[in-house]
Amino acid sequence: MHDARDANTALPTRSAAVDLVLLVAARDEAASLPLLHPRLLAVAEALGPGVRLLYVDDGSRDATWDLLQGFVAGAPARVGALRLSRNFGKELALTAGLDHVPEGAAVVVLDADGQDPPELVPALVARWKAGAEVVYGRRTRREGEPWLKRATAAAFYRVINALSDTPIPRDTGDFRLLGPRAVAALRGLRERQRFMKGLFAWVGFRAEAFDYERAPRLAGTSKFNYWRLWNLALEGITGFSTMPLRVATYVGLVSAAGAFVYGLWIILKTLLWGDPVAGWPSLMVAVAFLGGLQLMALGIIGEYLGRLYLEAKQRPLYLVDEAHLPP
């Protein structure tokens, strides 16, 4: 495990042996990895001897780990692999990979499905060497994805930027280059409920966008269904904004004020004109409406309270079952 530390107290020393690590987190990607690995290896060899590949198997149930062991055996000086003890989720798998990157090395994060073309890595490296600490891929097209997924992703980025004080670049994924200082800063963030795209933005440093067209998957199907994407969106919003709590407060105040004014109107109308108080239908509608608002507010509070509960237990972020790291 990588201990928590203040990344601002000391910057990592640049390693003479490893300058760049291509990091890939994978879960049940036995169909796509044989197609992706030769391309990654070719890019690493073209960039020089100081480039390594690091795969993280996030609790796969297919032949992913067997493939990764074969990749390591084929190039033990350049390829490494971690196997987590179970499926911890992509965010924590990426965290495990960042924790095992050599000190002073930059990192390029890529998806295991091949949608982030490895051939673009040299362009990211060129931006880094020109002075950018973070170079993030901004998707101009998303081939092979349904329109609903594209629309909801675009809406999410716009919503979270409206709610959060940390600007998160729109239309970006995990594909990016992180310089040594950014990697060191991310290692110091040990929160349990993680939204990596937000953490990448939170650490700051000089960042540049790199526009590219995202390719379709090489093989297989996405492991992120709409339910998992919805939960990831909740992680992002609750991890980087307290606005939902404020909205619940404001809605409660407005509802209470409206109910008070309406109650005064009923009393006044009865005193002046002798009209009877409204009957059961209107009463039940009001009770159901206010009850729904209360449950919604409690649900929002529960989301934040649940995250505090998980943080308070201080469990390890992940557990490594097996590791093969290059020298």
Side-chain angles (χ1 to χ4, degrees):
M1 292 293 100
H2 194 284
D3 295 332
R5 59 185 178 182
D6 185 355
N8 295 317
T9 58
L11 295 179
T13 302
R14 174 64 72 93
S15 170
V18 181
D19 295 322
L20 179 68
V21 175
L22 308 183
L23 174 61
V24 178
R27 180 179 182 237
D28 296 337
E29 293 289 357
S32 61
L33 285 173
L35 303 174
L36 178 64
H37 178 68
R39 295 167 61 186
L40 286 170
L41 196 59
V43 170
E45 292 174 349
L47 288 173
V51 181
R52 301 289 185 270
L53 274 63
L54 178 59
Y55 293 97
V56 181
D57 179 8
D58 185 27
S60 295
R61 293 171 292 182
D62 62 2
T64 294
W65 181 243
D66 294 333
L67 285 171
L68 296 184
Q69 288 180 302
F71 297 163
V72 172
R78 193 180 288 274
V79 181
L82 298 174
R83 186 183 191 184
L84 302 187
S85 62
R86 63 171 178 84
N87 174 235
F88 286 89
K90 184 181 179 182
E91 312 298 290
L92 290 177
L94 290 177
T95 300
L98 291 172
D99 286 347
H100 288 81
V101 167
E103 294 286 341
V107 175
V108 174
V109 180
L110 303 101
D111 283 348
D113 54 18
Q115 289 189 281
D116 304 325
E119 292 76 15
L120 297 180
V121 170
L124 302 183
V125 173
R127 299 282 188 95
W128 169 48
K129 290 184 176 179
E133 183 67 17
V134 177
V135 185
Y136 58 88
R138 183 167 56 193
R139 299 170 293 210
T140 57
R141 295 182 63 185
R142 303 177 65 166
E143 296 292 341
E145 295 184 358
W147 69 269
L148 181 59
K149 185 174 181 180
R150 297 195 301 268
T152 53
F156 165 72
Y157 282 107
R158 284 149 183 79
V159 168
I160 195 171
N161 278 317
L163 299 178
S164 174
D165 293 330
T166 302
I168 299 176
R170 296 180 179 181
D171 305 317
T172 62
D174 294 320
F175 182 42
R176 67 191 64 215
L177 184 147
L178 304 164
R181 290 187 296 164
V183 173
L186 286 165
R187 282 172 166 169
L189 305 179
R190 310 310 292 176
E191 57 201 68
R192 271 70 186 161
Q193 302 299 111
R194 304 176 74 82
F195 178 64
M196 294 304 296
K197 299 174 186 65
L199 296 180
F200 290 150
W202 186 89
V203 298
F205 300 108
R206 177 181 169 184
E208 292 185 5
F210 178 82
D211 292 335
Y212 77 107
E213 294 185 6
R214 201 165 197 231
R217 288 182 60 92
L218 294 175
T221 58
S222 175
K223 310 305 180 295
F224 277 87
N225 54 33
Y226 287 106
W227 176 247
R228 294 189 65 185
L229 290 172
W230 166 254
N231 286 318
L232 182 62
L234 287 181
E235 293 289 353
I237 292 172
T238 55
F240 286 87
S241 175
T242 58
M243 184 60 68
L245 292 173
R246 296 179 185 176
V247 170
T249 300
Y250 297 149
V251 170
L253 289 174
V254 171
S255 300
F260 180 75
V261 171
Y262 183 62
L264 289 178
W265 164 246
I266 291 176
I267 294 173
L268 182 61
K269 185 175 65 171
T270 302
L271 292 176
L272 292 178
W273 294 288
D275 290 346
V277 178
W280 282 105
S282 59
L283 177 61
M284 293 306 297
V285 168
V287 170
F289 175 71
L290 293 176
L293 290 181
Q294 291 172 346
L295 290 175
M296 181 186 72
L298 286 174
I300 293 173
I301 295 171
E303 288 288 339
Y304 285 91
L305 184 60
R307 281 151 178 76
L308 288 174
Y309 171 68
L310 293 175
E311 293 291 337
K313 289 192 289 187
Q314 291 292 299
R315 290 175 179 170
L317 298 185
Y318 57 85
L319 296 174
V320 176
D321 181 31
E322 195 172 344
H324 303 282
L325 299 178

